[in-house]
Amino acid sequence: MPADLARETVDLIPGARFEIIRRAGHLPPVERPGDWADHVTRFLRATGHAGAAQAAP
């Protein structure tokens, strides 16, 4: 997705974030897995879906 379209789309989704992963193309989880994981982890922690310890269901 082009960055300008992604920026517009994120404004339509409450709580969404737009992040650019430098030196990645169409598959950031494959091309830059560490950077991608850092972004996802920060998002999950910020939204209360990940923490230091999670209880098993």
Side-chain angles (χ1 to χ4, degrees):
M1 173 182 289
D4 57 338
L5 182 57
R7 283 187 183 105
E8 292 175 16
T9 303
V10 77
D11 291 337
L12 302 173
I13 304 170
R17 293 186 185 176
F18 173 75
E19 301 282 349
I20 292 177
I21 298 178
R22 303 280 180 210
R23 298 177 305 279
H26 290 88
L27 296 170
V30 174
E31 298 165 347
R32 306 289 298 175
D35 293 337
W36 181 82
D38 289 344
H39 285 290
V40 172
T41 300
R42 282 195 302 272
F43 176 78
L44 292 174
R45 285 185 177 147
T47 57
H49 294 285
Q54 294 286 323

